[in-house]
């Protein structure tokens, strides 16, 4: 196999996006879907887990082997080249729903332990500056604890407008800033995720050269 053939076999980056709100049509779900659309537009594959889809039993080791929904979530995490976490601000921190879902990362053993080497984009949704700031800090701390790499830019969304709801020139300053920052954050996730997706091809190339 030639180098060109190996590089052509590079897989599309897989991005998993997780929302931490159970409210129907929540801002967190809408932000996650918006980010997913940006990922797809830039050539990545995206899988959104809404809050309703991560309503798992309280985590305990091995439970994902018996729970179909949790098992599918863990499987998606194991294949993820990048991750985006979107949490509502509950009493100054992340939702228990999202924290419990991320606890299932403890069941990841292959092809890597936890989220080692995975870029993690973090978005905190809420009305207040103090609460969203502390929630964002917690999201980044969790990303580090799971051995992931939080992107240089994290985002607080205190006023959000979907791209189908408000034209850019009609956005409030807060909405425009959130959109702009989220665009940069997604680019950072995809840049690092592309390297993860290309790693198997690089390994195959090195093996072919002996």
């Amino acid at each position: 196999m030639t180098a060109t053939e190996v590089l052509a076999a590079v897989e599309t980056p897989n991005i998993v996006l997780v929302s931490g709100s159970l409210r129907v049509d929540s801002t967190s779900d809408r932000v996650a879907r918006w980010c997913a659309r940006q990922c797809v537009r830039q050539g990545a594959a995206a899988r959104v887990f809404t809050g309703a889809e991560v309503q798992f039993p309280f985590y305990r080791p091995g439970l994902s082997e018996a729970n179909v929904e949790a098992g599918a979530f863990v499987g998606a995490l194991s294949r993820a080249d990048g991750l985006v976490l979107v949490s509502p601000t509950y009493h100054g921190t992340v939702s228990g729903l999202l924290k419990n879902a991320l606890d299932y990362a403890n069941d990841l053993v292959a092809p890597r332990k936890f989220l080692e080497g995975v870029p993690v984009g973090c978005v905190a949704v809420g009305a207040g500056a103090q609460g969203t700031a502390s929630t964002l800090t917690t999201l980044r701390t969790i990303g580090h604890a799971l051995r992931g790499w939080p992107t240089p830019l994290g985002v607080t969304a205190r006023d959000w407008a979907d791209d189908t709801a408000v034209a850019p020139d009609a956005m409030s300053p807060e909405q425009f800033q959130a959109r702009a920052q989220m665009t940069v954050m997604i680019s950072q996730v995809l840049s690092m995720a592309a390297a993860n997706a290309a790693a198997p091809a690089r390994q195959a190339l090195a093996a072919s050269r002996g």
Side-chain angles (χ1 to χ4, degrees), residues 11-134:
E11 294 184 359
T12 300
N14 291 308
I15 311 300
V16 171
L17 305 97
V18 190
S19 165
S21 175
L22 281 172
R23 184 167 59 83
V24 176
D25 195 34
S26 68
T27 301
S28 295
D29 280 2
R30 287 162 43 215
V31 166
R33 292 190 181 105
W34 187 89
C35 290
R37 290 195 294 272
Q38 308 317 303
C39 291
V40 171
R41 287 171 183 167
Q42 296 186 53
R47 170 64 165 97
V48 175
F49 285 89
T50 64
E53 292 178 287
V54 295
Q55 195 175 193
F56 308 138
F58 288 132
Y59 174 75
R60 61 179 182 273
L63 184 58
S64 62
E65 297 177 6
N67 185 286
V68 175
E69 291 79 10
F73 178 69
V74 171
L77 290 181
S78 72
R79 297 185 296 272
D81 298 303
L83 179 67
V84 176
L85 304 176
V86 186
S87 178
T89 296
Y90 287 173
H91 309 292
T93 190
V94 302
S95 67
L97 178 74
L98 181 60
K99 176 60 170 64
N100 183 60
L102 293 175
D103 284 346
Y104 278 83
N106 283 323
D107 289 351
L108 287 168
V109 292
R112 57 176 172 251
K113 184 67 174 174
F114 301 124
L115 297 171
E116 189 157 8
V118 175
V120 182
C122 301
V123 183
V125 175
Q130 182 174 339
T132 51
S134 61

Side-chain angles (χ1 to χ4, degrees), residues 16-18 31 35 82-88 94 98 102 115 118-125 132-144 146 148-157 178 181-182 184-186 188-189:
V16 171
L17 305 97
V18 190
V31 166
C35 290
L83 179 67
V84 176
L85 304 176
V86 186
S87 178
V94 302
L98 181 60
L102 293 175
L115 297 171
V118 175
V120 182
C122 301
V123 183
V125 175
T132 51
S134 61
T135 299
L136 179 60
T137 298
T138 302
L139 285 171
R140 294 175 64 83
T141 297
I142 292 172
H144 279 298
L146 291 174
W149 291 91
T151 55
L153 180 63
V155 182
T156 58
Q181 290 182 337
M182 222 158 305
V184 173
M185 182 268 290
I186 289 296
Q188 292 174 347
V189 169

Side-chain angles (χ1 to χ4, degrees), residues 30 34 159-167 171-172 175 178-179:
R30 287 162 43 215
W34 187 89
D159 190 7
W160 177 250
D162 293 335
D163 52 358
T164 57
V166 180
M171 291 181 189
S172 69
Q175 291 169 343
R179 177 80 62 83

